[in-house]
Amino acid sequence: MTNHYTDIGNADAVLIIGSNAAEHHPISFRWVLKAKEKGATVIHVDPKFSRTSARSSYHVPLRSGTDIAFMGGMCKYILDKKLYFNDYVMNYTNATFLVGEKFSFKDGLFSGFDAEKKKYDKSFWAFEKDEKGMVKRDATLANPRCVLNVLAKHYERYNLDLVSQVTGVSKENLTKVYDAFAATGKPDKAGTILYALGWTQHTVGVQNIRLAGIVQLLLGNFGVAGGGINALRGEPNVQGSTDHALLYGYIPGYHNAPLATWKTLDEYMKANTPVTADPKSVNWWSNRPKYVTSLLKGWFGDYATKENDFGYALLPKLDPGMDCSHLFLFDRMYQGKIKGGFIFGHNPCQSFVNSNKVRQAVDKLDWLVVGEVFHNETTDNWRRPGADPKKCKTEVFLLPSAYRAEKEGTISNSGRWHMWHYKAIEPIGQSRAMGDMFVQLMGRVRKLYAKDAKKNGALHDQVLKHDIPEKFVAEEMTKKINGFFTRDVKIGDKEYKKGQLVPGFPLLQTDGSTSSLCWVYCGGYTDAEGNLAKRRDLTQTPMQAKISLYPKFSWAWPMNRRVLYNRASVDLNGKPYNPEKAVIAWEDGKWAGDVPDGAQPPMAMEGGKYPFIMCTDGHGQLYGPGREDGPLPEHYEPAETPLTKNPFSAQMSNPCMKTVSGSEFDKLCANGDPRFPIVLTTYCLTEHWCSGSETRNGPALLEAEPQQYIEMSPQLAQEKGIKNGDVVIVESLRGKVEAVAMVTVRMKPLQVMGKTQHLVGMPFCFGWTKPKCGDAVNRLTPSVGDPNTTIPEYKACLVNLRKADKVTEL
Ligand SMILES: Nc1nc2c(c(=O)[nH]1)N[C@H]1C(S)=C(S)[C@@H](COP(=O)(O)OP(=O)(O)OC[C@H]3O[C@@H](n4cnc5c(=O)[nH]c(N)nc54)[C@H](O)[C@@H]3O)O[C@H]1N2
Ligand SMILES: Nc1nc2c(c(=O)[nH]1)N[C@H]1C(S)=C(S)[C@@H](COP(=O)(O)OP(=O)(O)OC[C@H]3O[C@@H](n4cnc5c(=O)[nH]c(N)nc54)[C@H](O)[C@@H]3O)O[C@H]1N2
Ligand SMILES: [Mo]
């Protein structure tokens, strides 16, 4: 989240799109309701009516996978009617920047596309620069290559008629939403966008969010109270795990994972440290070398020296272009290329797309270690329905794991608040906390490796040089994450002693004098105040109280800043655009309120800086040339679509989407395949948790939601001769699932390109290990992913359904 939960209460309009916040993020929704009580319009755009829709001002159903058309239409509406916040757009975004002459867009494709590799050469999208390396600008906007003009031209096609035809949203509903949300383009109004999986789980997932960024920049909604883009996150600590590089392409703190082509630390830094010629740009990522060096120092301790590149050579390296995401990992496993591995706290045989394929992929392993609390579809894969345990070669080791209440440590919520989680009881039986297991496991592996350096080859140092404690102690780990001074140093006129905690990441160094296992958390544990994640202090200044900032409750990264980009909430002289809900203000030569995004004076003053400090050029990116699939979001149909033609262009689906093709399960429907005319979307339930392996073991929860079902409209049910409660067979090109029909007005047929389009929805929590529950909906979903993240398209694929002649599984 750019903002945080309590801040949602400050919004004048709340657009919930691709999220069922009331059911899956009830704490965030508490603040949505507070905003509504104060008069905010709450809009829910979602294929299905849910408890979120019920509590919103109105619900707008749309066809799954058409959000770019929907938001592109909003973008055009704002530009055509000049509803944008002019000063903000002109001063704080890249609206006036000139796009280079190599950029073009024709019939669904941007310039620089290599059709064979399905990849763009992004250099085609660069800005035009002068001889000093400064981006050229035209504040008069006369040049057609100004970003604002390029943007307007791109979304010219997104008129109400076409958007309505594609999304299935009526024109009345479109204008109702556009008017309500665009009304926040005034300086003293704020609108927030809350999204979650309805946006990310698509082959255009990242561009969905990019477009929200564009709309929020046009309306001047970043940095302000009640604004921003707010990703409501998933698993309890998914924010923390992402910060610590749960994704294969990163190392902790959002630095790219090293590639084999970056042979030295210097090469790594050069490739990953942005430079700008503009002195008014803070360009915060120019500090990356400090964070990466401190990370290496944290990993390798005394071994890491300047002479040995701080141990950089010991890091595993990816081949350029190598995709190690789940999609490709399970594909490699399916091909027999992976021998064994560890699965901890995850049930991929149930929760990952194309689970028929995943289950067979796991069969190919020689050995598998699962860290679990419960038996589930992954631990017990070898005895699943239809499989012969005698033929399964996989040796499975089940490590009983401690449960939530049995361990302590930090957890970061969606709003980046870092909070201590206390242990209630010691782990029971033989179960252990994961940190404990891994430290001991690695300790034993290291003992084995220490015996024979010759046999180990290159792995010897990789395994043995890490600075690993003998015992896992969460409190000590939190300190290591914050980081220490590794020797006595003097910075400015201040002296720091070896072993002292680093007070904040601005003090991290490139010379090895500091360590930190994740720079964004540096500052969260101090010598003076201790572990700030444990703070529960509700005091605040009157200014902070007006926007419920609570800066002393826990600690938020970065540097306890609660609202990111808050420098954009004030005008060029530091005066809040909305004095009633000021986030920061320049008073008596310094900033008051939240921790400002950069301590320098306001932009128009001497030494003033641009507000978007994480962007190389300091401006919010209406035009953003960094993504794999284009500098501007464009509507493409999902990988499987009921349409035979994309009405926006000749390019049917995302030209860069990730696909795999090795097996019979990797098939995708042809566009408009008459055998599978219905759009399926999938989701979580209030009563269950994710893959359901925990909650299916809770009798009360199972009683509340006992078995696999499919939500369908009365119209579809009638067409198919299905009654509420009938068992139906749902089929895709990849598999078959049985489910009980729930015939409900919560699902509506939509008018798409002049035809009636049916949508159905199914939860993904029911699996075979709990008898009479049914089995995974993911046996239907396809192996396709977003080109930037490879997140699979769980939210839109094609199916058909019929009444079951005979009930076999349920
Ligand atoms: N009780 C409970 N809470 C949970 C979870 C749980 O399982 N149970 N899971 C947690 C996890 S890991 C996560 S990631 C989050 C998930 O939180 P959410 O993202 O809220 O969950 P979903 O139900 O997957 O999807 C949200 C909504 O997206 C809609 N949707 C589907 N396709 C589209 C589309 O193309 N466009 C739009 N605009 N909307 C679409 C669905 O109808 C659904 O209402 O919740 C977390 N919280
Ligand atoms: N069709 C469809 N599929 C989806 C989604 C969707 O919307 N639609 N959503 C996707 C999303 S957002 C997510 S996050 C994934 C979730 O998918 P999974 O990661 O598979 O989800 P969980 O059910 O949370 O699985 C976690 C496992 O961890 C175990 N566990 C719980 N606590 C602990 C612990 O402290 N230690 C250990 N070792 N184990 C523990 C639980 O018993 C459970 O088996 O599913 C994805 N799959
Ligand atoms: Mo999730």
Side-chain angles (χ1 to χ4, degrees):
M1 289 173 81
T2 53
N3 297 39
H4 55 101
Y5 287 164
T6 50
D7 181 71
I8 301 168
N10 295 315
D12 298 294
V14 182
L15 176 58
I16 308 176
I17 179 162
S19 147
N20 181 356
E23 302 193 43
H24 304 146
H25 299 90
I27 302 299
S28 77
F29 207 71
R30 166 187 157 89
W31 298 95
V32 173
L33 293 179
K34 292 221 181 218
K36 194 167 166 233
E37 274 166 27
K38 288 188 260 171
T41 312
V42 179
I43 306 155
H44 189 213
V45 182
D46 196 299
K48 144 185 112 148
F49 186 94
S50 64
R51 290 168 175 117
T52 301
S53 332
R55 291 297 207 98
S56 294
S57 311
Y58 43 89
H59 169 236
V60 173
L62 98 167
R63 173 166 66 102
S64 276
T66 62
D67 297 78
I68 291 185
F70 183 89
M71 293 300 287
M74 172 145 26
C75 194
K76 175 178 166 60
Y77 196 84
I78 292 167
L79 290 167
D80 283 355
K81 294 190 183 297
K82 299 224 176 325
L83 300 171
Y84 52 89
F85 180 178
N86 191 61
D87 282 2
Y88 188 105
V89 168
M90 294 300 286
N91 293 321
Y92 295 164
T93 77
N94 62 15
T96 61
F97 288 28
L98 296 192
V99 175
E101 286 188 10
K102 274 165 85 183
F103 166 82
S104 67
F105 176 79
K106 224 170 110 198
D107 212 7
L109 281 177
F110 297 92
S111 48
F113 190 62
D114 180 334
E116 212 167 280
K117 292 192 183 135
K118 294 199 337 183
K119 234 180 143 44
Y120 281 106
D121 173 353
K122 291 185 229 168
S123 69
F124 276 76
W125 312 331
F127 292 113
E128 194 167 314
K129 291 190 174 166
D130 66 15
E131 46 307 330
K132 284 198 213 109
M134 296 272 282
V135 179
K136 283 195 189 167
R137 301 189 207 172
D138 177 5
T140 69
L141 297 178
N143 192 320
R145 285 188 291 110
C146 278
V147 163
L148 201 65
N149 299 328
V150 172
L151 189 72
K153 180 149 178 256
H154 188 80
Y155 291 109
E156 209 172 63
R157 295 162 296 145
Y158 289 62
N159 60 59
L160 288 177
D161 280 316
L162 192 56
V163 170
S164 168
Q165 289 272 321
V166 169
T167 57
V169 180
S170 68
K171 282 199 274 181
E172 296 70 44
N173 270 348
L174 286 176
T175 37
K176 202 160 117 184
V177 178
Y178 295 172
D179 278 331
F181 201 69
T184 65
K186 306 218 167 56
D188 60 347
K189 293 277 181 245
T192 177
I193 298 182
L194 309 185
Y195 76 89
L197 303 187
W199 263 12
T200 55
Q201 294 178 337
H202 283 292
T203 42
V204 292
V206 167
Q207 297 284 3
N208 274 330
I209 297 144
R210 265 277 299 140
L211 190 45
I214 293 172
V215 165
Q216 290 297 60
L217 283 173
L218 288 174
L219 298 174
N221 276 336
F222 278 111
V224 303
I229 299 190
N230 294 303
L232 301 177
R233 309 227 40 187
E235 297 276 356
N237 197 21
V238 68
Q239 181 64 52
S241 354
T242 317
D243 302 334
H244 289 291
L246 128 127
L247 301 170
Y248 80 92
Y250 297 95
I251 55 176
Y254 303 97
H255 314 297
N256 283 328
L259 296 184
T261 39
W262 302 325
K263 297 218 156 32
T264 62
L265 185 58
D266 197 42
E267 282 173 32
Y268 176 89
M269 299 299 196
K270 278 213 178 86
N272 289 288
T273 313
V275 286
T276 174
D278 195 330
K280 280 179 85 81
S281 183
V282 173
N283 184 23
W284 196 270
W285 281 116
S286 64
N287 293 304
R288 193 186 308 274
K290 298 176 188 166
Y291 310 148
V292 174
T293 312
S294 301
L295 175 61
L296 290 167
K297 213 45 207 161
W299 273 338
F300 298 114
D302 290 342
Y303 171 77
T305 61
K306 194 165 170 21
E307 291 64 43
N308 67 14
D309 255 4
F310 298 102
Y312 175 78
L314 300 183
L315 299 184
K317 313 276 187 309
L318 285 170
D319 287 328
M322 188 174 180
D323 191 321
C324 299
S325 66
H326 259 53
L327 200 62
F328 288 88
L329 212 65
F330 281 103
D331 190 49
R332 268 173 228 137
M333 200 186 290
Y334 185 85
Q335 294 172 38
K337 291 181 182 164
I338 296 177
K339 293 279 167 244
F342 288 65
I343 298 181
F344 267 68
H346 182 31
N347 184 11
C349 290
Q350 167 74 15
S351 59
F352 199 59
V353 278
N354 219 340
S355 36
N356 281 325
K357 179 179 176 182
V358 172
R359 292 168 181 188
Q360 290 195 16
V362 173
D363 287 346
K364 309 256 165 91
L365 296 176
D366 292 342
W367 56 274
L368 170 65
V369 181
V370 193
E372 255 302 335
V373 185
F374 297 104
H375 282 269
N376 64 27
E377 288 67 27
T378 305
T379 57
D380 290 22
N381 185 49
W382 44 273
R383 61 178 193 96
R384 69 183 180 273
D388 180 357
K390 286 197 197 106
K391 290 201 180 124
C392 181
K393 65 169 178 174
T394 321
E395 190 176 1
V396 183
F397 302 88
L398 183 60
L399 302 185
S401 302
Y403 209 27
R404 288 185 185 91
E406 299 168 333
K407 43 190 180 181
E408 62 179 0
T410 56
I411 194 161
S412 297
N413 76 2
S414 300
R416 297 165 285 103
W417 291 12
H418 197 215
M419 291 186 278
W420 194 258
H421 179 293
Y422 293 87
K423 188 196 299 193
I425 51 165
E426 288 304 317
I428 55 170
Q430 295 181 327
S431 66
R432 296 211 197 152
M434 189 160 136
D436 197 21
M437 280 192 227
F438 269 85
V439 167
Q440 295 209 22
L441 204 65
M442 230 19 230
R444 291 205 204 173
V445 169
R446 279 150 66 95
K447 266 197 197 128
L448 291 172
Y449 267 75
K451 280 187 191 152
D452 192 348
K454 243 199 237 139
K455 211 165 110 195
N456 301 338
L459 278 176
H460 186 78
D461 283 355
Q462 281 195 333
V463 173
L464 291 171
K465 295 299 181 196
H466 278 269
D467 186 23
I468 293 176
E470 287 198 349
K471 216 171 155 238
F472 178 82
V473 181
E475 192 85 39
E476 291 307 311
M477 203 61 201
T478 313
K479 285 188 192 168
K480 282 187 86 163
I481 289 168
N482 178 90
F484 298 102
F485 287 98
T486 62
R487 53 178 187 254
D488 296 353
V489 286
K490 196 170 172 198
I491 304 171
D493 53 5
K494 278 224 166 97
E495 283 181 28
Y496 300 93
K497 290 264 169 272
K498 178 179 173 174
Q500 222 174 308
L501 288 159
V502 181
F505 57 71
L507 289 172
L508 293 175
Q509 306 292 323
T510 53
D511 62 2
S513 60
T514 54
S515 73
S516 170
L517 286 179
C518 191
W519 71 279
V520 297
Y521 288 103
C522 185
Y525 206 126
T526 66
D527 284 319
E529 286 184 88
N531 188 346
L532 300 181
K534 291 182 175 169
R535 287 194 301 187
R536 297 292 181 266
D537 181 350
L538 292 175
T539 54
Q540 45 190 346
T541 65
M543 179 179 170
Q544 293 163 343
K546 274 193 178 168
I547 57 165
S548 305
L549 199 70
Y550 298 115
K552 292 183 179 167
F553 186 90
S554 75
W555 181 85
W557 72 258
M559 293 306 289
N560 204 30
R561 182 175 303 127
R562 305 284 161 143
V563 179
L564 299 182
Y565 298 118
N566 54 31
R567 287 285 295 267
S569 70
V570 296
D571 68 12
L572 295 177
N573 298 308
K575 193 168 150 290
Y577 284 123
N578 182 0
E580 285 308 304
K581 291 180 189 164
V583 180
I584 58 167
W586 184 254
E587 287 167 0
D588 307 323
K590 58 180 196 312
W591 292 106
D594 193 10
V595 176
D597 239 347
Q600 302 89 351
M603 193 170 134
M605 293 182 190
E606 201 183 322
K609 300 278 183 186
Y610 305 135
F612 285 87
I613 63 168
M614 301 310 286
C615 299
T616 309
D617 51 48
H619 290 68
Q621 299 190 47
L622 290 172
Y623 176 92
R627 303 281 69 80
E628 294 299 319
D629 42 356
L632 295 169
E634 167 69 1
H635 170 76
Y636 301 113
E637 285 291 314
E640 287 195 331
T641 164
L643 301 190
T644 47
K645 195 181 156 305
N646 176 0
F648 282 91
S649 75
Q651 190 60 45
M652 197 68 184
S653 47
N654 189 335
C656 307
M657 75 185 176
K658 297 269 180 100
T659 52
V660 287
S661 57
S663 82
E664 52 168 320
F665 298 112
D666 299 327
K667 286 176 286 189
L668 290 170
C669 281
N671 303 324
D673 190 332
R675 295 171 301 167
F676 301 101
I678 302 167
V679 174
L680 166 75
T681 193
T682 61
Y683 33 75
C684 318
L685 293 185
T686 311
E687 297 79 359
H688 285 279
W689 187 263
C690 291
S691 81
S693 45
E694 289 175 67
T695 45
R696 279 183 268 136
N697 285 295
L701 295 170
L702 196 62
E703 189 182 341
E705 285 288 3
Q707 61 195 163
Q708 184 63 275
Y709 64 88
I710 175 165
E711 295 188 56
M712 67 179 84
S713 68
Q715 293 89 331
L716 176 61
Q718 196 185 18
E719 244 176 58
K720 298 279 184 186
I722 293 166
K723 288 193 305 298
N724 194 30
D726 281 350
V727 174
V728 298
I729 310 274
V730 192
E731 255 177 297
S732 80
L733 209 49
R734 295 153 294 274
K736 247 200 292 211
V737 172
E738 285 181 33
V740 176
M742 182 197 279
V743 180
T744 166
V745 292
R746 296 196 303 222
M747 297 302 284
K748 274 202 176 77
L750 298 173
Q751 286 303 306
V752 175
M753 301 312 292
K755 285 200 204 138
T756 300
Q757 179 62 50
H758 289 295
L759 282 86
V760 291
M762 294 175 79
F764 76 97
C765 52
F766 297 108
W768 66 266
T769 53
K770 202 78 194 173
K772 301 199 183 349
C773 261
D775 197 2
V777 70
N778 277 323
R779 291 175 296 162
L780 304 174
T781 49
S783 299
V784 287
D786 176 275
N788 301 281
T789 59
T790 328
I791 292 182
E793 193 149 67
Y794 289 103
K795 288 286 189 266
C797 71
L798 292 182
V799 296
N800 207 346
L801 53 92
R802 62 190 152 84
K803 191 170 159 181
D805 328 315
K806 199 169 94 203
V807 179
T808 49
E809 288 176 25
L810 284 169

